Amino acid sequence: MEYTIQKLASLAGVSTRTLRYYDEIGILKPARINSSGYRIYGQNEVNLLQQILFYRELGVGLENIKEIVTSPTFDGAKALREHREKLLEKRQQLDVLIANVEQTIAVTEGRITMSDKQKFEGFKKKMIDENEQKYGKEIREKYGEETVKKSNEKFMNMSKEEHDEATATQEELFETLKEGFATGDPAGELAQKAAALHKKWLMHYWPDYNKEAHAGLAQMYVDDERFTAYYDKIQPGITVFLRDAIHIFTGMTQE
């Protein structure tokens, strides 16, 4: 079956403007243009639009979606199975949050009691899931499944006081790092204090500590643009400075 742009937009619940934009950027082109100049979409385009909307629902950016769906190795059936797994994870996350809200309602109505730890379990699970989506593959490849599992368990068991302390440590780290960066010396007192604070912050989440892993993480901050963007929002160039300070702190400086 074939569809005009208006009919496909209505079928998919998107605007014709969106479909025109997808055509412009090369992510979803019509099967053909008819004699009247209208875009005509066939079954392949319908299936591809479904894939695109699945990726959008999962928070994937259009540039990344374009890379995925235009790749010669793109496998639609495999992608659908992956979508299913991601959506099940998202549903589980929502179920946890809904249960948390329902428990809180019951507490306010005096039907049950709820510990401070229980009040934040849903949000913690959400943070773990979001972190998994963003960095899970890289972290597991670098540190292994068991380490990631232990780290997540430690985070889930974190008390409110421990969470507040971790947040305070991170804020102190950022302030000290800015001050150290201004000196331009990663071996200086302020930079080394920032490296020590980074270790202290990590230990709120890591099951154990070793210098090699700390130095490796600092290098990953520089190698992965997502981590670089996170720290460079403090000040451009500060990620490399932090990496150098941590390498000096751990004694893992590069020759």
Side-chain angles (χ1 to χ4, degrees):
M1 187 170 180
E2 291 189 327
Y3 299 88
T4 63
I5 191 169
Q6 289 85 0
K7 288 183 178 179
L8 181 58
S10 176
L11 177 70
V14 299
S15 67
T16 56
R17 182 179 178 183
T18 294
L19 294 180
R20 290 191 184 95
Y21 180 64
Y22 286 174
D23 184 5
E24 288 172 14
I25 65 175
I27 194 172
L28 178 68
K29 295 216 167 268
R32 61 187 177 87
I33 305 295
N34 70 10
S35 58
S36 301
Y38 291 109
R39 294 173 173 87
I40 302 297
Y41 297 85
Q43 193 59 54
N44 288 338
E45 289 70 42
V46 171
N47 293 342
L48 181 55
L49 178 58
Q50 183 193 40
Q51 293 280 7
I52 292 167
L53 295 180
F54 275 138
Y55 281 117
R56 292 293 285 160
E57 181 65 25
L58 294 169
V60 182
L62 283 176
E63 282 300 316
N64 288 335
I65 295 173
K66 183 179 178 180
E67 272 186 45
I68 294 167
V69 301
T70 60
S71 169
T73 60
F74 178 68
D75 183 334
K78 180 182 177 183
L80 284 171
R81 289 192 292 270
E82 290 174 350
H83 292 322
R84 179 180 181 275
E85 291 303 314
K86 294 295 184 183
L87 289 169
L88 286 172
E89 289 174 9
K90 195 171 184 179
R91 184 173 73 180
Q92 182 184 25
Q93 173 187 318
L94 288 172
D95 286 343
V96 171
L97 286 172
I98 290 168
N100 194 265
V101 170
E102 288 175 343
Q103 286 181 316
T104 305
I105 291 171
V107 169
T108 59
E109 293 176 348
R111 291 185 280 117
I112 64 169
T113 58
M114 191 178 186
S115 69
D116 286 342
K117 179 184 173 184
Q118 287 174 314
K119 290 176 184 177
F120 295 99
E121 280 180 351
F123 298 104
K124 288 179 180 178
K125 181 67 168 59
K126 182 174 183 289
M127 289 176 67
I128 288 174
D129 289 343
E130 289 176 347
N131 192 63
E132 179 66 27
Q133 287 183 14
K134 288 181 181 178
Y135 313 116
K137 181 180 177 183
E138 294 85 348
I139 296 296
R140 289 171 192 280
E141 286 176 353
K142 192 170 186 66
Y143 298 108
E145 183 72 32
E146 188 62 26
T147 298
V148 174
K149 180 181 176 183
K150 288 181 179 178
S151 179
N152 288 342
E153 287 174 352
K154 185 171 184 177
F155 179 64
M156 284 299 295
N157 290 322
M158 186 182 290
S159 68
K160 183 180 183 300
E161 291 73 22
E162 289 170 333
H163 184 270
D164 289 345
E165 185 182 347
T167 301
T169 299
Q170 185 181 51
E171 290 172 356
E172 185 181 1
L173 162 63
F174 286 169
E175 286 302 314
T176 306
L177 184 57
K178 282 195 292 186
E179 292 173 6
F181 184 68
T183 70
D185 182 9
E189 181 180 350
L190 283 170
Q192 289 305 292
K193 180 182 178 183
L197 284 167
H198 190 266
K199 174 187 174 181
K200 181 181 177 182
W201 174 71
L202 281 176
M203 292 317 300
H204 286 288
Y205 306 98
W206 280 13
D208 47 49
Y209 175 84
N210 70 72
K211 293 180 178 180
E212 291 81 3
H214 192 185
L217 181 65
Q219 184 61 50
M220 188 169 71
Y221 287 170
V222 173
D223 294 339
D224 191 311
E225 61 184 15
R226 294 168 300 175
F227 289 103
T228 302
Y230 178 77
Y231 281 98
D232 272 16
K233 69 184 178 184
I234 302 172
Q235 198 162 331
I238 210 166
T239 311
V240 171
F241 183 82
L242 175 61
R243 185 274 313 273
D244 293 344
I246 290 172
H247 280 187
I248 293 168
F249 177 78
T250 58
M252 301 291 163
T253 51
Q254 302 293 317
E255 297 295 335

